[in-house]
Amino acid sequence: MNPKVRKQVKIPTTVELHGIADKLGTDERTSRFRALVLLAGWCGMRFGEVTELRRRDFAADCTVVTISRGVTHRADPNTPGAD
C-alpha cells in the first residue's frame, strides 16, 4: 500500500521565484531573506542547509557553494504529542 501524500508541493517557476525574492527585497524587514530564497530555489538547498551557510562556504568567485552543516530541530520531550 502506498502512504497518502501529506500535502502537495508546488514548485515555483523561475518568474515566480524571482517575484518572491523581489517582493522580499522591497521591505526592509524581510530584505535579508532575498538571498535565502534564491539560494534555496536555484541550488535546491533545504532550509537547514541554507541557514547554516557562512562566507567561507562560498568560493571567491561564487561559483561553488560548499554545504557542510545543517540545522536540525529536535522535538521537545515536554511538548504534548512529541514522540
Side-chain angles (χ1 to χ4, degrees), residues 56-70:
R56 66 176 175 258
D57 295 327
F58 293 87
D61 59 357
C62 292
T63 58
V64 177
V65 179
T66 303
I67 302 170
S68 56
R69 292 174 306 285

Side-chain angles (χ1 to χ4, degrees), residues 4-59:
K4 291 185 178 182
V5 177
R6 289 187 180 179
K7 60 183 176 182
Q8 293 292 337
V9 177
K10 182 182 181 292
I11 300 172
T13 65
T14 302
V15 173
E16 291 171 335
L17 180 66
H18 282 275
I20 294 167
D22 291 343
K23 181 75 172 175
L24 288 171
T26 59
D27 188 351
E28 186 178 306
R29 294 174 297 156
T30 59
S31 62
R32 63 186 170 157
F33 299 116
R34 187 174 188 276
L36 182 144
V37 167
L38 292 173
L39 278 168
W42 282 107
C43 299
M45 293 182 190
R46 293 175 234 158
F47 179 77
E49 295 169 341
V50 76
T51 55
E52 278 295 308
L53 289 175
R54 305 291 183 259
R55 287 183 187 176
R56 66 176 175 258
D57 295 327
F58 293 87

